[in-house]
Every structure is written in structure tokens, then in C-alpha cells.
Amino acid sequence: MDGVQLYMGWRVALLGLASLQMLVLAVAIAGQAANARANRLLSAFLIVLAGVITPYTIGFAGAYDAWRWLTFAPFALPLALPPLLFGYTHALVKGRRPERFWIHLSLSGLQLAYFATCFALPLTTKWDWYTGGHARFVRPVFELALLASLGIYAAMSLRCLRDYRRDLAQARSDDDRYATNWLTRVIVALVGVLAIYAGFTLWDWLSGGIDYFQETGLYLALVAIGLYLGVEGWRHAAVRFPVPILPTLIDPATGPDWSTIAATFDARLREADWARDADLSLPVLARRLATNTGRLSRAINQGLGRNFSTWINGVRAETVAAQIDAGSNDDLLNLAFDAGFSSKASFNRAFHARFGVSPSRYRRGVSDHDFQARDDELRRIVG
């Protein structure tokens, strides 16, 4: 089409640069050996997202006006994004892809086949179908499928992360290290984009059609989420996320006195100072106590009424409190690390849960005799 020139505006620059960055991140993440299955799925997600952005990047530049034969070019496969994100989440925390993962990608496979078939049509036929049957029937079906898929897979991913954190707290004392809060934020942000996308879809249907420029905010939000996920995924690409193997509790509920057994385990833990081990896990402690993981887990849950992480970090918090009570002037964070905590956040959280106040406020109450704290602020929470 003579006389049509490409326009390199700020939208093209932003979306194009963001797509290039996502592709670079995808290559970097795919090259990490640790968590290889999860890393490959994240790389695929970033590549597909860059493809989803591509029609809008070149569309803002006027490429479809210059070369109408690009219509139906299979750049964008948005139906692949939700299952790929779920697959990444599942592989990251469980060490394997979901069962029969190819089924999850089947809709995006059909979408690819449809676009590839339409792209191969003669130009006149293709354009008539694009402005006719595709716009009236096929596109709305794809949009509804994407909305449903985003909602379903977001819920599945969040449930997967919730179960992982619960199981990890039953098996490790450093569970905060693998909390995957960044991934939760990505999924929640995608749910927000889902709401925005639904609004744009409704607007499109009610108004009879909107153009690319009115959807600029939506795609800028998508690339922002994609870049955040890519950067965080790259930062965690070499981290081996532990897969908690929970014990099978076969002891009858009417069996041993779990309170007495738990008290014995607790006394031995404190006497040997094993809680100072930052990587302490349920299997490791069970070996040291010469018992099995099932018996130890049952004692913790039924005898102490808490999970493994809460128990160990509570003991660590008491160790720090004892140092403060003895007049130690060492930095609180140094005391925390010496007690076995792996981060400042986990220390503050566990200390507040154990004593009802922050570590600094506890120290102030011990060292400053003029400090008037409420009676309940310096209590030791029992149970």
C-alpha cells in the first residue's frame, strides 16, 4: 500500500522495548539448571506474553495498514498464558508439571491452528472473514474463553501456593524463605488485569468496537506484570524450592499422651540447642530425636497445638528474649541470626507472635525502667 509509513511513537517504543526485555529474561531464565521444569515454563510464558503484545506494538506503528496480509499472523496466543502461569507455579513448588499438562494447553493449540489456517487464506477472503464472521462470532468466543481461563487458573495457582505454604510450615523452620510472595503478587495483579480486560471487553461489545489506542493502558499493565514476573523469576531461578514430604500419620488418636511426648521433644530440642540450625527441618529433627517424622509431627500438632515452623521459631524467639533479659546489647538482628532465624522479617513476625510485641519494644521494656508498657505487652504468650 503506497504512501503508508510506519509511525514510531512512544507506545511502540515502550511496548517494543518491554517485549525485547521479556525475551532476554526468557533466555536467561531458561539457562538456569535449578528448577529446570519451572524455569522452562516461565520462559515460555514470557515468550508468549511478548507475542501477545506484538500485534499491538506493530499495530500502533501502522504495520497492519501498510501490510494487510499480516492479518491473522499467529503472533498472539493469549489462551496459553493462564495454563503456563499455573504450570510454572505448580512446577516451582512441587518440582513437576501438572499431570497431563498438554490438556491444559489444548485450547491454545486450537487457537494457534485457527490463526495459522486463517493466515494462509487469500488476502481478500482473509479480510472479509476478519471483518465478518471472525469479528462477530470467533473473537467473542476467544475473549470469553480467556476471561474464564484467567479466573480458573488464577484460583488454581493461588490454591497451589496456599497449600505449599501450609505444608512447608509443617516440615521446615525456614518456611518464610520460600514464601513465594512475589508470585502471589503477580497472580493477584493478573486478576486485576482480568477485571480491566473484562471492562474493555464489555465496552467493546456495547460500543460496537474500540480501537488499539483505547486499550493502551491494558497492555502497558500487562507488560509491567510480565517484566516484574520475569525479573523475580530470574532472581529465584537458581533457588531450589524444597518440596515438603509430609509424614503419614498412622497413630490412632486415642493412643499415646501426645502432650507428654511433645514436652519431652521440646526439652531435648532446647537442651541440645538444635533450633539454632537455620535449615532445621522435620526429617532432620526426627533423626536427631531418634523418632520418625509421623510421630514427631503428631506430637507437635496435637501435643503443642501448632505447626513445626511456629514451634521452632517460637523457641528461637525465646532465645533472643533470654539474651535481652540477660542484658545483652548486641544488635537485635545479630541475636536473631545467632538464634537460627534466616531473615529479619521472619524474626519480627515470630517474636511478635510469641511475646505480643516487637523485639525493639521488648528490649525497651526490659532496659528502660521509666518505660510504662501495658501489662499485656510484655506477656509471654503460652500455647
Side-chain angles (χ1 to χ4, degrees):
M1 295 184 180
D2 297 335
V4 178
Q5 295 181 346
L6 297 182
Y7 173 71
M8 304 302 291
W10 65 269
R11 295 178 180 85
V12 177
L14 282 178
L15 294 179
L17 181 59
S19 297
L20 179 60
Q21 289 175 322
M22 284 190 285
L23 293 176
V24 171
L25 285 168
V27 172
I29 292 169
Q32 296 291 330
N35 299 319
R37 294 184 182 88
N39 290 338
R40 286 195 291 267
L41 288 169
L42 178 56
S43 294
F45 178 91
L46 293 174
I47 292 170
V48 171
L49 182 55
V52 169
I53 300 301
T54 296
Y56 293 86
T57 306
I58 65 177
F60 286 131
Y64 288 101
D65 294 323
W67 305 296
R68 187 164 290 181
W69 58 266
L70 283 172
T71 303
F72 284 120
F75 298 124
L77 300 174
L79 285 175
L81 290 175
L84 282 173
L85 182 61
F86 169 65
Y88 170 63
T89 304
H90 191 282
L92 191 70
V93 302
K94 294 183 181 293
R96 55 182 173 79
R97 290 188 298 271
E99 297 291 336
R100 296 188 177 92
F101 188 57
W102 64 270
I103 296 178
H104 296 270
L105 295 173
S106 58
L107 281 179
S108 60
L110 290 174
Q111 190 175 42
L112 173 60
Y114 169 77
F115 282 127
T117 301
C118 293
F119 182 63
L121 294 172
L123 180 57
T124 302
T125 305
K126 175 172 19 180
W127 186 251
D128 289 342
W129 174 247
Y130 177 75
T131 57
H134 173 79
R136 287 196 299 270
F137 305 112
V138 180
R139 183 182 172 187
V141 170
F142 280 156
E143 289 173 340
L144 287 174
L146 180 59
L147 288 171
S149 181
L150 277 170
I152 291 170
Y153 281 108
M156 292 170 63
S157 299
L158 290 173
R159 187 182 305 116
C160 186
L161 291 174
R162 180 202 63 194
D163 293 346
Y164 177 69
R165 294 190 187 107
R166 180 201 61 207
D167 294 344
L168 203 61
Q170 294 284 5
R172 296 185 67 96
S173 63
D174 58 347
D175 54 309
D176 274 1
R177 189 186 303 179
Y178 308 100
T180 60
N181 292 325
W182 55 275
L183 187 51
T184 300
R185 286 192 288 270
V186 167
I187 297 170
V188 171
L190 280 175
V191 172
V193 171
L194 165 64
I196 297 173
Y197 182 77
F200 272 104
T201 301
L202 183 61
W203 181 16
D204 183 43
W205 291 351
L206 294 178
S207 66
I210 57 178
D211 59 30
Y212 283 5
F213 294 91
Q214 292 168 311
E215 295 181 317
T216 300
L218 173 64
Y219 287 90
L220 289 176
L222 271 180
V223 296
I225 293 171
L227 287 174
Y228 176 73
L229 175 59
V231 170
E232 289 296 328
W234 177 74
R235 288 182 59 235
H236 294 86
V239 177
R240 293 188 179 276
F241 284 77
V243 178
I245 302 176
L246 298 179
T248 301
L249 303 178
I250 58 176
D251 300 301
T254 56
D257 180 353
W258 293 113
S259 296
T260 301
I261 295 173
T264 301
F265 288 158
D266 183 70
R268 292 182 60 189
L269 172 81
R270 295 169 186 272
E271 181 181 1
D273 223 7
W274 286 326
R276 291 184 185 273
D277 180 359
D279 297 319
L280 190 64
S281 65
L282 185 75
V284 169
L285 184 57
R287 287 196 296 272
R288 292 178 182 178
L289 292 170
T291 187
N292 58 66
T293 55
R295 186 176 180 82
L296 176 57
S297 184
R298 194 66 173 266
I300 296 169
N301 283 272
Q302 291 198 194
L304 298 177
R306 64 197 72 173
N307 60 43
F308 180 78
S309 176
T310 302
W311 173 43
I312 299 300
N313 285 316
V315 173
R316 290 168 176 165
E318 290 178 16
T319 300
V320 175
Q323 292 291 317
I324 295 173
D325 292 342
S328 173
N329 292 317
D330 289 351
D331 183 77
L332 285 172
L333 198 54
N334 289 336
L335 292 176
F337 287 150
D338 184 61
F341 286 104
S342 57
S343 71
K344 180 180 179 179
S346 61
F347 165 52
N348 287 332
R349 190 179 301 112
F351 197 96
H352 193 280
R354 182 66 183 84
F355 295 103
V357 294
S358 66
S360 58
R361 195 171 181 83
Y362 183 93
R363 169 173 271 179
R364 184 183 173 194
V366 170
S367 61
D368 186 354
H369 298 295
D370 294 328
F371 171 67
Q372 298 296 322
R374 300 194 312 268
D375 290 341
D376 64 340
E377 282 192 327
L378 291 179
R379 74 189 187 283
R380 295 202 175 201
I381 299 175
V382 180

